[in-house]
Structures are given as C-alpha cells and as structure tokens.
Amino acid sequence: MKPFEELAFYDDFMFGQIMQDREICRTVLEILLGIKIDRLEYPEVQKIIAPFYTTKGVRYDVYVEGGKRVYDVEIQNATEPNIGKRTRFYQSMLDVVALMRGQNYEELKESIIIFLCRYDPFKKGIPCYTVERKCREDGSIRLNDEATLYVFNCRAYQNAQSSELKGFLKYIECGKAETDFTRRLQKMVEIKIGNEVIKNAYLSWSLAEHDAIRKGRVEGKAEGLAEGISKGEQKNKLANARNLLAMKLGTNEQIAQAVDLPLETVEDLAKQL
C-alpha cells in the first residue's frame, strides 16, 4: 500500500479526489479533447454499474454527464494487456444502463471513453490514439455510432499538439507541474495530503482494495489458474481438503500435503468452515 503522503495526482485515489471538482474535471476534459464544454454534472468517482445481480459490473474511475454526452475517464498506471476488450465492455455498460432507463437507440448520448496511460499501449509513440468504428474496405464509411475512445500515451507528451496538453501529459508521466493548470493541480494534491479526513478515507479504501485483491488471488489459486491445473482436478482437491478439514483428520499442513494444495489455500478453506 502506497503511503498516503506519497500519493501523486496519477494515483487512483488521489485522481478521484481531485477530479470530483467539477471545474477541474471540465478543464481536464477540455485540454484532452481540445473542445469547450458548456455544462457538466457533478463527476462521480469509482462509479459502479452492474445492471443485473448475476452479471459482471464495471467500476469507472470518473464518470460524468454533460449535455448530450457522457464521459468516462480512466487513469491507467499499469500495463493493461486487454485494453481493447476492456474498453469494449465499458462502452457496453454505458449503453445498457441508458437503455434500461427507457431510452430508444436514437436517444443514446454520445459517449467518450478516455484512458490516460502512463505507458504506450500500442507502441507507436503517438500521444493520443483516437479510435472510432469505420468500414475496413472503405475508410470513408464510418458507423457514426457516436462512441469514441481516446487512449492517451503520457510518455509521448513531447509530441502533443498543444502546450496545455503537453504540460498535462507530462505532469501525469513525470510529476512535473510546469503550467498554470498543473501547478494548480499540484497545489490541490498537497492540500489533500494535509487533510486527516481524506487520509482516513484513503486508508479505508486501500484496505478494501487489498482485501478484494487477496480474495481474487485465493480464488485464482483455488481454481488452479496459478498452477495451470485443470479445473476438474482442482475442484476434487478442494473437495477432499474440505472433507478432511470437516472430519479434523490432520493439521492444515498435513492436509495440504495430502491433497497437494498450497498451505495458504487450505488455511483459507479452514476459515470458511
């Protein structure tokens, strides 16, 4: 867990804290997209959309509506190998929720998904990859579905077209505030770090994230993903371990050795009984 005092603007928690400010969020969007935005609703950070109880949901870093547009802004510090499918899923959730409100297809708002990456996802050295759907056979034919993906490569900040965009991307990549706006952002970060209430919120948030990650790792091991074991074989091992634990036939170490499972997995199973 990164110490609270060391958080930078690009860290998930701090990014959400700063982007909750409507004017800051609007300025960020205007710099990234090179447009003027008349009106924005209050940004929602860590917004969770799960249309159905049984379906996988999505958590947006910053979700905001403005006029006939919806925006999703994601900060990406670590390499995402499946960024294409991830953005496809994010887009689908935006549309599902809109249609569940009773809107028709023609009423869907224009959606803009923005990924701020501290690495080059496509390795072409382009500061902004703008992705829209068009015809493969004739590039002049566009689908006009009003869904656009912007993937920013912060490492290529030197190639950005505007000085404001260059300064903003450089701030995310290097932490250097060299424009009036990024100096304003850095000042806000420093103020947040001096706030004990926000610090406590971060500690609670971090513990929740840690628990979710740990649970995912344990479940991954239990399914045999880490060791490359077949799911059927792994389920049998888990069932055998549960039976031995229920009958108290041996210590956790002995059961782990008997069924060929990691000790950590057996200990977690024991806690569930």
Side-chain angles (χ1 to χ4, degrees):
M1 187 171 73
K2 190 173 184 178
F4 178 70
E5 293 74 17
E6 296 179 10
L7 290 183
F9 174 71
Y10 55 74
D11 288 305
D12 286 348
F13 180 83
M14 187 59 71
F15 183 73
Q17 286 290 316
I18 303 298
M19 291 289 283
Q20 286 183 81
D21 185 296
R22 183 166 53 180
E23 291 307 311
I24 290 293
C25 185
R26 178 164 63 179
T27 302
V28 167
L29 290 173
E30 288 180 341
I31 289 174
L32 293 174
L33 302 176
I35 61 175
K36 282 293 180 182
I37 299 175
D38 294 329
R39 182 178 64 85
L40 280 183
E41 303 296 335
Y42 283 101
E44 298 181 62
V45 298
Q46 301 298 321
K47 179 181 176 65
I48 296 176
I49 293 180
F52 306 103
Y53 178 75
T54 56
T55 59
K56 177 180 174 65
V58 64
R59 183 175 67 178
Y60 298 108
D61 284 351
V62 179
Y63 171 89
V64 62
E65 296 188 19
K68 296 183 178 180
R69 290 187 181 129
V70 293
Y71 305 88
D72 165 37
V73 187
E74 303 289 323
I75 191 79
Q76 193 69 36
N77 291 298
T79 301
E80 170 56 73
N82 295 312
I83 193 169
K85 289 186 177 180
R86 182 178 171 190
T87 56
R88 170 183 163 188
F89 183 65
Y90 279 29
Q91 177 62 59
S92 68
M93 287 294 100
L94 289 177
D95 292 339
V96 166
V97 170
L99 291 175
M100 288 181 68
R101 293 174 180 169
Q103 292 178 288
N104 296 319
Y105 293 118
E106 60 269 18
E107 296 176 304
L108 286 175
K109 293 185 176 182
E110 178 184 357
S111 67
I112 295 177
I113 295 179
I114 298 170
F115 269 64
L116 293 168
C117 300
R118 299 183 67 233
Y119 65 96
D120 189 345
F122 305 116
K123 297 179 172 54
K124 297 294 184 179
I126 299 173
C128 178
Y129 301 94
T130 305
V131 183
E132 297 175 325
R133 290 205 285 176
K134 62 182 181 180
C135 177
R136 177 185 296 175
E137 288 75 19
D138 186 340
S140 66
I141 301 175
R142 296 182 180 273
L143 196 57
N144 294 323
D145 57 355
E146 295 190 325
T148 309
L149 167 65
Y150 296 89
V151 182
F152 286 89
N153 165 25
C154 295
R155 288 186 177 178
Y157 63 85
Q158 291 182 333
N159 299 326
Q161 293 184 348
S162 72
S163 58
E164 281 294 325
L165 179 58
K166 178 179 178 179
F168 182 68
L169 297 183
K170 184 175 183 179
Y171 178 57
I172 294 178
E173 176 62 22
C174 308
K176 295 182 179 180
E178 299 178 348
T179 66
D180 290 341
F181 181 63
T182 55
R183 281 190 286 268
R184 180 182 174 190
L185 292 178
Q186 184 58 31
K187 184 63 176 179
M188 292 182 71
V189 170
E190 293 168 1
I191 292 173
K192 299 286 185 184
I193 287 178
N195 189 312
E196 285 296 319
V197 174
I198 295 177
K199 179 178 181 179
N200 291 333
Y202 170 69
L203 295 175
S204 299
W205 180 83
S206 296
L207 288 174
E209 290 288 299
H210 176 77
D211 288 343
I213 291 171
R214 182 178 180 278
K215 181 180 179 182
R217 286 175 176 169
V218 171
E219 291 176 351
K221 288 181 180 179
E223 291 297 327
L225 298 179
E227 292 81 15
I229 303 171
S230 69
K231 288 186 178 181
E233 181 183 352
Q234 188 72 1
K235 287 181 179 179
N236 289 334
K237 290 184 178 184
L238 292 170
N240 291 335
R242 289 192 186 95
N243 291 335
L244 293 173
L245 287 167
M247 293 185 289
K248 299 181 180 179
L249 296 179
T251 65
N252 289 348
E253 290 81 0
Q254 291 170 332
I255 293 173
Q257 185 176 4
V259 300
D260 190 24
L261 280 174
L263 176 59
E264 182 184 358
T265 300
V266 175
E267 290 176 340
D268 284 315
L269 290 173
K271 293 177 183 177
Q272 298 171 17
L273 295 176

